[in-house]
Amino acid sequence: ADRLKEAQNINKSLSALANVFNALANKQKHVAFRDSKLTFLLQSALLNGKTLVIVNLSPTLASFQESLQTLTFASRVSKIELGVAQRDLSASHSTNSSSNNAGSHSSPGETN
């Protein structure tokens, strides 16, 4: 009974996550991040970062239904494109330039 309840809660969270992906992909004004703890916690990452979804399947016959639901979810999410990934070099550039200058030595009046 506990495993069934856990599976139902997981499926509800994954359904809410798929709904968030759909809302973001369709550029809807309202995105229901508060429909589950999972989507609420992932809100910042989904809005401001790259998203990669990895699913795990079990090869056992006893897990067939759960694996089928997982594949259905993965198929649904894989069709959603949130946009083109963009690389932000501003933070890494300032870190690299300061670390590159840290090891160099200048005489007074010289610049690096």
Side-chain angles (χ1 to χ4, degrees):
D2 288 339
R3 289 186 67 175
L4 177 62
K5 186 174 181 177
E6 180 184 8
Q8 289 172 337
N9 287 334
I10 290 170
N11 287 337
K12 182 180 176 185
S13 291
L14 292 178
S15 179
L17 181 60
N19 291 337
V20 164
F21 278 132
N22 282 328
L24 290 171
N26 294 327
K27 299 184 183 351
Q28 294 178 357
K29 288 183 179 182
H30 175 72
V31 180
F33 287 109
R34 294 182 184 258
D35 281 358
S36 78
K37 276 187 184 178
L38 176 66
T39 55
F40 181 74
L41 293 172
L42 290 176
Q43 180 175 358
S44 178
L46 293 172
L47 291 174
N48 303 315
K50 286 188 193 179
T51 304
L52 174 67
V53 176
I54 299 173
V55 296
N56 187 31
L57 303 174
S58 174
T60 64
L61 186 57
S63 300
F64 174 78
Q65 190 63 37
E66 185 176 341
S67 293
L68 184 61
Q69 289 175 340
T70 301
L71 287 172
T72 302
F73 169 77
S75 176
R76 184 175 166 196
V77 170
S78 72
K79 295 174 184 171
I80 298 168
E81 186 174 319
L82 296 177
V84 178
Q86 296 179 359
R87 188 170 180 188
D88 181 8
L89 297 175
S90 61
S92 63
H93 185 312
S94 63
T95 303
N96 288 340
S97 63
S98 64
S99 64
N100 289 342
N101 291 336
S104 62
H105 301 285
S106 304
S107 299
E110 289 182 3
T111 59
N112 287 341

